[in-house]
Amino acid sequence: MNTPMSMLTTRGRVLPFSEKERTEEETGTLESSLLQLIEDNRRSSLQLREKTERSKKEAIRHAARTADLLVKAVNGGVEECFVNEKRIEAEIRSLAVTVARFGKQTDQWLAATHAVNSAVKEIGDFENWMKTMEFDCKKITAAIRNIHEDH
């Protein structure tokens, strides 16, 4: 029954002795349940940590792969620009040589043209000289004839 000795306090209330036994059984069950919950929580935390670590490693691998692909894509463009730059520089050197050659050829043509012009001018001058000489000779011939006829 409920005697003061057989009464125990549980959360501020006094329990009879039979309830104490039941509470100890419940406490054992409660303790094992709590231990089981703690163990389950520890296991699930460990699994979650492992899964997180795997996901982290996988994300790092994917990021590294993406970075490699981006570097290859950028380097491909840079390499193409470098090759094009070298090709353009070679073409510029070739064009500079061609321009210099054409410049020399143009100077030669100008010199030849001036020579021809001078020759034509001299021919023209010679022709004028010849005409002048012919006119002078005709004058002299006419004067000699006049002199000869007068005598």
Side-chain angles (χ1 to χ4, degrees), residues 1-8 14-17:
M1 298 232 211
N2 291 344
T3 62
M5 296 228 353
S6 65
M7 301 289 228
L8 297 172
V14 178
L15 294 176
F17 189 73

Side-chain angles (χ1 to χ4, degrees), residues 7-151:
M7 301 289 228
L8 297 172
T9 57
T10 305
R11 290 190 191 190
R13 97 175 189 199
V14 178
L15 294 176
F17 189 73
S18 63
E19 278 190 43
K20 179 187 171 230
E21 287 175 3
R22 200 170 32 141
T23 304
E24 284 177 1
E25 287 175 15
E26 287 175 1
T27 302
T29 308
L30 183 62
E31 233 178 84
S32 65
S33 294
L34 285 174
L35 287 174
Q36 183 64 38
L37 282 173
I38 290 171
E39 182 60 27
D40 290 346
N41 184 22
R42 187 190 63 75
R43 224 179 297 121
S44 66
S45 292
L46 184 60
Q47 288 173 345
L48 183 60
R49 212 174 302 132
E50 289 171 354
K51 183 178 179 183
T52 302
E53 191 63 31
R54 281 192 308 269
S55 295
K56 179 181 170 185
K57 286 179 182 178
E58 186 177 333
I60 289 171
R61 273 195 323 271
H62 287 299
R65 173 96 169 107
T66 302
D68 287 344
L69 290 173
L70 288 172
V71 166
K72 284 180 184 177
V74 169
N75 281 346
V78 169
E79 182 181 356
E80 184 179 343
C81 287
F82 182 74
V83 168
N84 287 341
E85 179 184 12
K86 292 299 176 188
R87 214 177 309 141
I88 289 170
E89 287 174 355
E91 188 66 26
I92 287 171
R93 284 191 294 274
S94 172
L95 289 173
V97 168
T98 303
V99 166
R101 190 178 76 236
F102 285 157
K104 287 178 184 177
Q105 190 175 22
T106 302
D107 289 342
Q108 290 172 351
W109 287 348
L110 283 173
T113 304
H114 288 312
V116 167
N117 282 340
S118 295
V120 168
K121 189 175 183 183
E122 286 176 10
I123 289 173
D125 289 345
F126 180 74
E127 188 179 349
N128 283 338
W129 178 78
M130 288 296 291
K131 285 181 182 178
T132 304
M133 289 299 284
E134 183 182 1
F135 180 72
D136 286 346
C137 285
K138 283 182 182 178
K139 274 187 182 180
I140 292 172
T141 306
I144 292 176
R145 224 182 257 150
N146 284 338
I147 292 176
H148 186 20
E149 285 176 9
D150 284 341
H151 281 300

